[in-house]
Amino acid sequence: MKQFIENRILPKVQKPARYQGNEWNSVHKDWDDTPVRMVFAFPDVYEVGMSHLGLRILYHIVNTREDTLMERVFAPWVDMEEQLRQHGLPLFSLESVRPLADFDAIAFTLQYEMSYTNLLNMLDLAGIPLRAAQRGDSWPLVLAGGPTAYNPEPLAPFIDAFLLGEGEEAIHDIIGIIRKWKQGATPRKRSDLLKELAGVSGVYVPEFYEVSYHDDGTIKGVVPQVSFVPSRVTKRVVRDLDGVDFPTSPIVPFMEIVHDRIMLEVLRGCSRGCRFCQAGMIYRPVREKRPETIVTQAENLVKNTGYDEISLTSLSTSDYSCVQGVLTSLMDKFGSEGVGVSLPSLRADSFSVDLAKEVQRVRKTTLTFAPEAGTQRMRDVINKGVTEDNLMEAVTGAFEAGWTSVKLYFMIGLPAETYEDLDGIADLAFKVVDRGRDILGNRAGRLRITVSASSFVPKPHTPFQWVAQDSMEALQEKQQYLARKLKHRRLVFNWHDARLSTIEAVFSRGSRKVAAALERAWACGCKFDSWNEHFKYDTWQEAFRETGVDPGFYSQRGFALDETLPWDHIDAGVTKEFLLSEYKRAFSEEITADCRHEECTLCGVCQSLPAALDLKGAKNNAPD
Amino acid sequence: MPRIRMEFSKRDRVRFLSHLDMVKAFERAIRRAGIPIAFSEGFNPHPKMNFASALAVGVTSDREYIDIELRETMAAGEVMSLISAALPAGIQISGAMAVPDNSPALMAMVNRAEYRVTVPVNGPLDTESLTEGISRFMDSSEVMIMKRTKKGPRPRNIRPGIKKLTGTVIGDRIDFSILTVAGSEGNVRPEEVVRTFADYLGNEFDADLPQINRVGLYTEHNCRLLTPMDMGSMNGDTEGRDEGGGDSFA
Ligand code: SF4
């Protein structure tokens, strides 16, 4: 198979390096000598998947174990899929070019809802039955984790077990169980394996839970069917970020990938508390790495990869309490070797611009800020702690330092939004243009302000989880309205396809019932939905019709505050009471402080999970 | 600044890397190896390295060349052994030498490329009739191809660019040996040669998925083919030169 693929298939596909698996630092273990074999599956193309830090972390942690190997597989691009289907070849892992069905477990990562069709397509290409109930004792275990697993229900029929939360420690528990099961008495029963896995903290095995519904389609309850599973599954969380293994010899792809640089995580979680933001809720509490850990890891990473750029990653790196010191040390250390430092996620304030100034000798790149909303009222609703003054100071600093292009991210379709808020977006954009012109003077010809508007999608485990999404028509109207307002030589306006956002909302907030529509859409050819050229809106609508799923029931309906939500049996640490109180504060336009700088706001995470707010350069407010 | 020239091969396992991928693979290997490479001046410094010629995706090569400039002196042998340990499997250094500061750039020097191209035979064909076909083909003064350009397809005569063509039938395949012009004198791609010859012969062999290996890159000099290593040693030292590798040429 390997020879055939190399000689007959790879020469015919675009970017054959996507399927080669022999990159620097890739791990190739002896198949026969390794008792447990897993494959990490990313339901998008190689360039996207290889840019994902979670993959790098798990690949390293698992392959450090002597008894387990982990290989990789990505969604094959359409040309490769065509070749595989034409020659009757199964989807294979990159490292050893083996069919996925040969592995003990396939671990999917779920980064966005619109990759679900790719997940089904990958199982199908591997010749593996899609539904867990159709998979007998000899099929690989199909696992899934990642942010969208916090509402596992739309994928429940297809996945054997979900892991909620951070995988660094939980993966060892899971491997231990698989290994024991493989060594146990034959014939081995899959049900025994699932039973053991369901006992691991953070693991959710959907087939052990039954969902019952009211006549109107809302949920009556999600109830365990067996005695050995918890009624709510709580996420896993790592306590000490310095203590967990972080890969310092990650794979260095040959071909260019989306984030083609060292990704060095400096902190995890964010407690700024934006009310639409799922990451800001599910990755709590904030835990920072010590500066010394970061500098040591950076040294090893440069030595082991040869990359010329270190990106200090997190949800918001300017919030790292030791960011200044770390930047200075890294630049002193690597400046002369041609290795640069970059900060991918900056707050909209002058402190952040100062940081950016420090790291960027060349002002070629665009600076990006995310005010998210156009009026102070709306920013209070969403709890975005950025004022117009903050933003104006930030862009002033940027223009004065020589940047000529600035990107502003906004969200439209937010709860309680009015056209005044849209006007606010336009006003803000024009203020930035004016400021740019004033400061740049005769260089104003180079000024370019990009305004990017995404559409609000209500997400589970956020204060806005109950909120109805705007209809597609309403979103499109708002986009058109802004497009008209933002016509200007110095402005570029772009927006996301509203049709895609409405389907995303269905799978973001759907119950198990939407699984049928997903399966149908896939069967009718939907895949790579988040790639414009492949998104088939009409096919999706037909799939909803044919399976009797009303998409609006999940996207455009405001969920009742006392309704059982499809994900209520999943515990992300943040309590429903906290989310509810945040929901109410939103509509009374009250802001809630960041627990890093003010009192603990009792979100529930540090109270209920074995982890706590952990800052290295500031005092902790977390309760004991 | 000291300049080191290296000769390397690109084997099967990395044959699908583009030229840009190769550039990055070297850049990163050099950093991993801790070689004191020099950087260009200016706002966006990049490491000073130059390749003799870009190799097409899917093509393997026995002998490619790269020059790197150092910011401090390091023996060619040491550079070679350090970088060898840091290069991905499939890229192998076979020789290294210091070349004088003022010697011409690789790119400007190379004007010939030699390839071995292997294709499957479709029908009964022996070396004799193949050879006869080749000499008729080579007798023509025009071999036209359609070249895709920015302004749409354009006809181009590649015959002047084909310096030598021989072929041997071995079992069910043909091994062609092709010498073409390269670099500053323009480029003729070996698959174009094989494709047009297949059409000329009436498709007696299958030119769809040719296996292509570049055998070497040369400078034609007084009717002799000299490698960049030969050129470099005309007045430089040859420390670190891998004996037996890289010194035979057609
Ligand atoms: S429990 Fe308090 S300190 Fe911990 S994350 Fe929540 S708000 Fe912050």
Side-chain angles (χ1 to χ4, degrees), chain B residues 55-91:
Chain B
L55 196 60
V57 174
V59 178
T60 56
S61 175
D62 296 340
R63 292 185 195 98
E64 296 294 306
Y65 302 89
I66 181 176
D67 277 0
I68 63 173
E69 267 180 50
L70 304 182
R71 56 176 190 264
E72 49 195 74
T73 312
M74 188 184 252
E78 194 182 351
V79 172
M80 174 168 159
S81 71
L82 285 174
I83 195 174
S84 290
L87 276 169
I91 305 175

Side-chain angles (χ1 to χ4, degrees), chain A residues 271 284-286 574 578 594-596 599-607 611-613 621-623:
Chain A
S271 51
R284 287 184 183 212
V286 170
V574 176
F578 175 77
D594 185 336
C595 59
R596 277 173 293 196
E599 292 294 279
C600 163
T601 54
L602 297 172
C603 76
V605 167
C606 301
Q607 289 82 23
L613 176 63
N621 299 314

Side-chain angles (χ1 to χ4, degrees), chain B residues 234-245:
Chain B
M234 282 178 162
N235 49 4
D237 81 292
T238 56
E239 188 189 352
R241 181 77 188 260
D242 190 0
E243 287 305 324

Side-chain angles (χ1 to χ4, degrees), chain A residues 6-7 16 20 22 24 253-255 260 304-308 337 339 362 364, chain B residues 13-17 21 24 27-28 31-32 39 43-44 85-88 209:
Chain A
E6 282 202 359
N7 295 332
Q20 281 224 296
N22 58 345
W24 186 256
F254 284 120
M255 65 180 288
D260 211 3
N304 297 334
T305 65
Y307 270 123
D308 63 358
E337 296 176 35
V339 178
V362 214
K364 285 200 311 193
Chain B
R13 308 181 62 177
V14 289
R15 74 181 156 125
F16 293 113
L17 303 197
D21 296 340
K24 281 194 298 185
E27 242 180 75
R28 290 169 186 164
R31 183 167 287 110
R32 291 192 291 259
F39 289 91
F43 278 126
N44 196 10
L87 276 169
L209 279 181

